[in-house]
Amino acid sequence: MTSTNRREFLKFIGAGVIGLAIGSAATYILTPRGAAERIVERTVTATTTISTQTFPKVTSPVTPGIPSKPIELIDVDARSGPGAPFTVPAINARKMAIDEINNSGGILGRKINYREYDENQGSPDAVARLVRSTIDQYKPDLIVGLGISSDCLAVAPVVDELNTITFVQCATNQLLQGGKVPKYKTVFRPIGSNAALDAVGLAYYVAKHFPNIKKVAGINQDYAYGRDEWNFFIAALKKLKPDIEVVNTWWVPLGTSDFRAHISQIMQAKPDLLQTSIFGSDAVNFMRQAIAADLPSKIPIAYAHAESLLHLVPEMPDGIIIQAAGPAYPLYPPPNIYGKNFSFVNNYRSRYNDYPHYSSYYAYDSIYAYKYAVERAYSILGKWPDIDDLIKVLEELAFEGAQGLVYIKKDHDTGVGSLVGVTKRDPRYPFVTLDPNSIELFPGYLVTPPPGVSPGNWISTW
């Protein structure tokens, strides 16, 4: 393989991006305005048009120009506390991806050395200190995990200062969107969702399928994601349906376990629709108490970032509008027509006797994003890429993942779509399913702002 100098490399990357930024990804960059008027297509057929990038086949033993030591990977995710039911499926999928890669010879012959830490450290500052300590001790090639928004905001300056590539899974828009592009040189959210993506997809769905709704209420947690989720949802919905009236909003502290008083007030307010994005173990408590009070049969619920509830609340009734958390859902793209999801779901079930959750998709595809970026950079440079080389490739990288097309925007945020559907139990599955005829995937260009633009300013231009 011929070595390439840096100027040629950057030129090559620029050309490569055009080839990679396919389909909706390319359209995303060019079409921030007028999104509200676009027709959203039902998406099963869209997955069949995804282009595939061919990555170089890797062979062992180690190739010249490749370091002989293993790749150091640090995983910081919640292994205890209220977030664990949502992040353990991510940890499982991450380990599965690493084992697959190591068992097939590693990345360019380098195996991945995996170290794991509990994100449940008591405070964001404590998580930031933990990450700094692991970087000082192990000099990792990659840090992954970090599902809590406040932890991400505390850790990002640290990993940027220490020049360490970090893939986060938290959903706060404040981390990467609006202002300088990118906000942090080494921080990426390659796959996942954020408040704007979740909220705008849900607003599109409600406006399209529930045109008679006029009075809306919301109940959300009182922190960055909860506030953002409600603000973006109602701003987008009012653009799509100017006759919407907000009858009330409730803000509950994180860690709330008793929602009975709130549920009683919601039923007395009698909105046409209740929006919520309550997350973590609070979400399980809220949904179970709402079902006990028969709330879903009286007031339609539109639930954002809620795919995990399909697994954790098996008594959930039919008819609840679920925005999955990005596009991730075990039965979409349909495994019978999309082989990567078929393999992922079957391998995950064989290994863990369970179906993957949305966070499993984030974690699994993130590990492969790193692998593909390294291999693509090597195919151009003829040597193991340094951090700056790798960042250039990661920016606007696109590939087929388990959840469909994965696309990383220039602001280092995810460019994936937003999947929404309505619950309808299928006895063939151990979790609550979405009615296949109700599912829509709103593409990335339609549900997130272009790089450098904040979601609020973007929605105001509709």
Side-chain angles (χ1 to χ4, degrees):
M1 181 171 295
T2 303
S3 295
T4 306
N5 65 35
R6 178 167 297 275
R7 177 175 294 178
E8 291 170 329
F9 170 69
L10 297 177
K11 181 179 178 181
F12 196 104
I13 289 294
V17 164
I18 296 172
L20 289 169
I22 52 180
S24 63
T27 312
Y28 169 88
I29 297 173
L30 300 171
T31 319
R33 292 175 179 272
E37 290 77 27
R38 300 186 72 95
I39 296 173
V40 180
E41 297 178 355
R42 203 170 298 277
T43 53
V44 173
T45 56
T47 61
T48 65
T49 63
I50 293 172
S51 301
T52 306
Q53 183 181 6
T54 301
F55 295 97
K57 184 175 178 59
V58 179
T59 57
S60 291
V62 173
T63 309
I66 306 299
S68 58
K69 64 180 182 179
I71 296 165
E72 290 289 341
L73 187 149
I74 301 289
D75 181 343
V76 183
D77 223 334
R79 288 157 170 80
S80 64
F86 297 81
T87 53
V88 168
I91 296 166
N92 290 343
R94 198 171 290 134
K95 290 178 178 177
M96 192 172 87
I98 291 169
D99 285 348
E100 288 176 358
I101 291 169
N102 282 343
N103 291 338
S104 63
I107 300 176
L108 299 175
R110 294 180 68 186
K111 299 290 183 69
I112 298 173
N113 192 32
Y114 176 77
R115 303 178 193 275
E116 55 183 321
Y117 297 86
D118 193 347
E119 187 181 354
N120 185 24
Q121 296 288 316
S123 72
D125 288 343
V127 177
R129 286 195 296 274
L130 169 68
V131 169
R132 181 182 289 277
S133 171
T134 61
I135 294 174
D136 289 342
Q137 185 172 1
Y138 298 112
K139 305 292 186 296
D141 298 277
L142 177 66
I143 294 177
V144 296
L146 297 161
I148 308 300
S149 293
S150 54
D151 294 344
C152 284
L153 294 172
V155 166
V158 173
V159 298
D160 225 36
E161 172 196 337
L162 299 177
N163 208 29
T164 304
I165 292 180
T166 302
F167 289 174
V168 303
Q169 294 198 182
C170 62
T172 176
N173 288 81
Q174 298 171 25
L175 182 69
L176 299 174
Q177 293 184 349
K180 187 178 71 170
V181 179
K183 278 191 171 181
Y184 296 100
K185 171 187 169 186
T186 63
V187 180
F188 290 80
R189 179 164 42 209
I191 297 98
S193 71
N194 53 59
L197 186 156
D198 295 340
V200 173
L202 192 60
Y204 270 120
Y205 195 89
V206 168
K208 181 175 180 180
H209 295 281
F210 298 84
N212 296 324
I213 283 176
K214 295 187 183 302
K215 297 189 298 180
V216 176
I219 179 168
N220 293 278
Q221 289 157 311
D222 192 9
Y223 76 126
Y225 179 84
R227 291 273 176 181
D228 286 349
E229 175 66 35
W230 166 256
N231 290 334
F232 299 151
F233 171 78
I234 204 64
L237 189 60
K238 283 185 173 180
K239 286 287 186 180
L240 300 169
K241 279 181 60 62
D243 59 344
I244 285 293
E245 173 192 357
V246 177
V247 297
N248 208 339
T249 56
W250 288 269
W251 301 103
V252 294
L254 289 170
T256 298
S257 59
D258 189 347
F259 294 91
R260 289 176 294 179
H262 296 98
I263 291 169
S264 176
Q265 293 169 17
I266 292 166
M267 295 177 76
Q268 290 174 14
K270 297 181 179 178
D272 298 330
L273 181 88
L274 176 69
Q275 176 275 351
T276 185
S277 63
I278 294 173
F279 182 68
S281 57
D282 301 6
V284 176
N285 291 326
F286 171 74
M287 183 51 69
R288 286 187 167 150
Q289 292 166 26
I291 293 169
D294 205 21
L295 174 65
S297 71
K298 295 180 171 62
I299 299 170
I301 298 175
Y303 214 128
H305 206 89
E307 192 276 340
S308 273
L309 288 181
L310 302 176
H311 306 265
L312 300 174
V313 186
E315 67 270 35
M316 190 183 297
D318 293 353
I320 296 179
I321 306 165
I322 296 290
Q323 190 278 327
Y329 170 59
L331 304 181
Y332 194 91
N336 62 325
I337 63 170
Y338 185 68
K340 282 188 175 290
N341 195 25
F342 177 85
S343 300
F344 174 64
V345 171
N346 278 353
N347 292 340
Y348 189 96
R349 289 181 65 198
S350 296
R351 181 164 172 152
Y352 299 110
N353 193 30
D354 194 8
Y355 277 83
H357 295 209
Y358 76 93
S359 62
S360 312
Y361 287 86
Y362 295 179
Y364 185 84
D365 283 342
S366 290
I367 297 298
Y368 276 95
Y370 180 81
K371 177 179 186 290
Y372 294 152
V374 168
E375 292 173 353
R376 177 162 179 78
Y378 178 79
S379 72
I380 300 166
L381 293 168
K383 68 178 183 66
W384 188 269
D386 62 24
I387 289 177
D388 290 340
D389 297 331
L390 203 52
I391 288 171
K392 285 293 180 186
V393 177
L394 284 167
E395 292 175 343
E396 300 188 290
L397 178 74
F399 63 94
E400 279 188 350
Q403 63 183 318
L405 175 64
V406 171
Y407 170 60
I408 304 173
K409 294 159 49 188
K410 203 169 183 60
D411 59 5
H412 296 191
D413 210 348
T414 179
V416 299
S418 180
L419 184 142
V420 190
V422 177
T423 56
K424 184 178 181 182
R425 181 170 293 280
D426 185 333
R428 294 176 297 172
Y429 299 98
F431 57 92
V432 179
T433 51
L434 301 177
D435 182 349
N437 296 318
S438 75
I439 291 175
E440 288 200 33
L441 179 64
F442 299 88
Y445 69 83
L446 201 61
V447 293
T448 53
V453 181
S454 69
N457 289 340
W458 172 61
I459 293 171
S460 71
T461 64
W462 290 9

